[in-house]
């Protein structure tokens, strides 16, 4: 079966990382050296989003794998 051309989770991952990078650069521009703690918070949020998306991808992959295995067992 062909893979879909559009992956919403991949788009979400790219979007959250791009938004985080823009936020970090904007904080540095606006706040100067006072931005360091906020940049750290932004980085932690980016990491949390990436880990959450990875967990959802893994869950979906395992669920699809279980379904394929179940179908294979019923076909045999």
């Amino acid at each position: 079966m062909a893979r879909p051309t559009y992956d919403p989770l991949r788009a979400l991952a790219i979007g959250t990382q791009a938004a985080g990078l823009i936020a970090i650069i904007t904080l540095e521009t606006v706040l100067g050296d006072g931005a360091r703690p906020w940049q750290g918070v932004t980085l932690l949020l980016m990491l949390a989003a990436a880990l959450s998306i990875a967990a959802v991808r893994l869950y979906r992959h395992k669920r699809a794998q279980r379904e394929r295995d179940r179908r294979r067992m019923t076909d045999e």
Side-chain angles (χ1 to χ4, degrees):
M1 185 171 177
R3 285 185 154 179
T5 57
Y6 177 73
D7 184 4
L9 286 177
R10 185 177 299 264
L12 181 63
I14 292 169
T16 56
Q17 296 303 302
L21 180 63
I22 290 169
I24 287 174
I25 292 170
T26 302
L27 286 167
E28 181 71 27
T29 302
V30 173
L31 299 176
D33 286 337
R36 300 286 186 234
W38 295 110
Q39 287 173 329
V41 169
T42 303
L43 179 61
L44 289 175
L45 291 173
M46 289 169 62
L47 289 172
L51 290 174
S52 299
I53 292 169
V56 169
R57 286 182 73 89
L58 181 63
Y59 171 76
R60 287 183 179 179
H61 176 73
K62 294 287 187 181
R63 185 177 62 184
Q65 186 177 17
R66 278 194 311 268
E67 186 63 32
R68 281 191 306 270
D69 290 344
R70 189 176 318 145
R71 266 190 264 130
R72 192 177 307 129
M73 293 300 281
T74 58
D75 290 346
E76 291 177 351

